[in-house]
Amino acid sequence: MTTLKLYNYFLSEKVKEKSEQVIVYVAIISFLLHLLLIGLVNLNIIVIEDHSRLLSNPIAAIYTPFSFILIYEVYLLLYYLPKSTSIYIGKQYEIISLIVIRRIFKDLSHLEFSSNWFSIKNDILFTADLIAILIMFFLIFIFYKLVRKSAPIAVENANPELIKFIHLKKVVATCLVPIFLLLSFYSLGHWLYESFFSFDKIVTELKDINNIFFDDFFTILILIDVLLLLFSFLHSDKFNRVIRNSGFIISTILIKLSFNTDGILNIVLIVVAILFGVILLKTHNLYDTLKE
């Protein structure tokens, strides 16, 4: 099977639509199963000693369907990789924003309501997450608005070097699909076991699925982005495009670094990464308006 056939098999518009439907059904079923499991544990029908907080409150069940939605967002990231570099980066911003939202839902299940709200560390971080997600949502809106203003080159009008580069990106995206599937299945299985069934201390120490899947996946993305940046010199050496693509890699690295941090530093790295991408794209668009 040729690369083009594999690309159409995994990353075509038809496959994307079917994948979206499947993920929606899986998310709904997982949400209901998680609620059922919480109910059985709380009624002592199923006894799990030292179970995680994900089994202590029905609100925590929202965490599970969001995990599957995030997996679909990663698929969309691969889908847009050959089509648009800017939208591909935008999908990274969407993924990290959904991770923060998922964390908010998780933290909702064990908030400590007190008149001394700002003296409790978890409540302070929860408040910071709420503020951060509003800022991130606004920045992503600005980013996509800037993407629309930058006119993409039609494939039929592209030069041979650009067509070859687009084909290369299709090959890369196709190769990333099995890597994505293997990582996601391993991460999901590992996370389910450690979150719900492990009796080890790692239950309380393990942060979430982010460190298992997204940390590794974003590392792969950074390496791929650098490779594509080098190949992009074959079809374009425009200064603003080189700076834009290089800057996007820096933005991705900042997102990757956020997975290894906690608290306010985690939030700051995420917001700075998205803000950096927005300013970079705005400056790139302004540079295109200059007359040669």
Side-chain angles (χ1 to χ4, degrees), residues 92-101 133 136 140 274:
Q92 294 185 21
Y93 298 158
E94 289 182 21
I95 287 171
I96 195 63
S97 299
L98 287 173
I99 288 174
V100 174
I101 290 177
I133 198 62
M136 291 157 63
I140 292 172
I274 300 176

Side-chain angles (χ1 to χ4, degrees), residues 51-207:
H51 57 75
S52 73
R53 289 177 175 177
L54 289 175
L55 291 175
S56 59
N57 192 308
I59 296 177
I62 305 173
Y63 187 87
T64 301
F66 259 80
S67 298
F68 288 103
I69 293 172
L70 275 167
I71 289 175
Y72 178 67
E73 284 291 324
V74 173
Y75 171 80
L76 286 181
L77 186 148
L78 300 181
Y79 174 81
Y80 283 107
L81 172 59
K83 294 176 171 58
S84 169
T85 300
S86 298
I87 296 179
Y88 160 73
I89 295 298
K91 288 299 172 183
Q92 294 185 21
Y93 298 158
E94 289 182 21
I95 287 171
I96 195 63
S97 299
L98 287 173
I99 288 174
V100 174
I101 290 177
R102 186 180 65 167
R103 185 168 67 201
I104 289 172
F105 282 127
K106 181 183 177 183
D107 292 342
L108 268 172
S109 62
H110 51 84
L111 282 178
E112 298 178 41
F113 294 99
S114 168
S115 57
N116 299 320
W117 180 276
F118 292 103
S119 64
I120 304 172
K121 180 180 178 182
N122 288 338
D123 292 350
I124 294 174
L125 293 178
F126 175 78
T127 305
D129 277 342
L130 288 178
I131 296 172
I133 198 62
L134 291 175
I135 297 172
M136 291 157 63
F137 189 31
F138 178 73
L139 289 176
I140 292 172
F141 163 74
I142 298 298
F143 185 84
Y144 281 126
K145 192 173 182 180
L146 292 171
V147 170
R148 287 190 175 185
K149 289 183 178 180
S150 56
I153 300 174
V155 177
E156 57 270 15
N157 298 327
N159 57 53
E161 288 77 14
L162 180 56
I163 293 175
K164 289 180 181 178
F165 183 61
I166 293 173
H167 179 72
L168 173 65
K169 292 203 290 184
K170 288 182 178 181
V171 172
V172 170
T174 304
C175 293
L176 281 175
V177 170
I179 296 174
F180 153 65
L181 290 174
L182 287 173
L183 270 177
S184 59
F185 281 121
Y186 168 77
S187 302
L188 180 61
H190 186 77
W191 173 70
L192 287 173
Y193 173 75
E194 297 295 353
S195 297
F196 299 117
F197 305 110
S198 175
F199 299 101
D200 203 324
K201 290 183 180 179
I202 196 171
V203 170
T204 57
E205 295 173 358
L206 183 68
K207 295 176 185 176

Side-chain angles (χ1 to χ4, degrees), residues 74 77-78 176 180 183 213-221:
V74 173
L77 186 148
L78 300 181
L176 281 175
F180 153 65
L183 270 177
F213 176 76
F214 288 103
D215 190 15
D216 294 335
F217 191 75
F218 269 81
T219 300
I220 295 171
L221 287 184

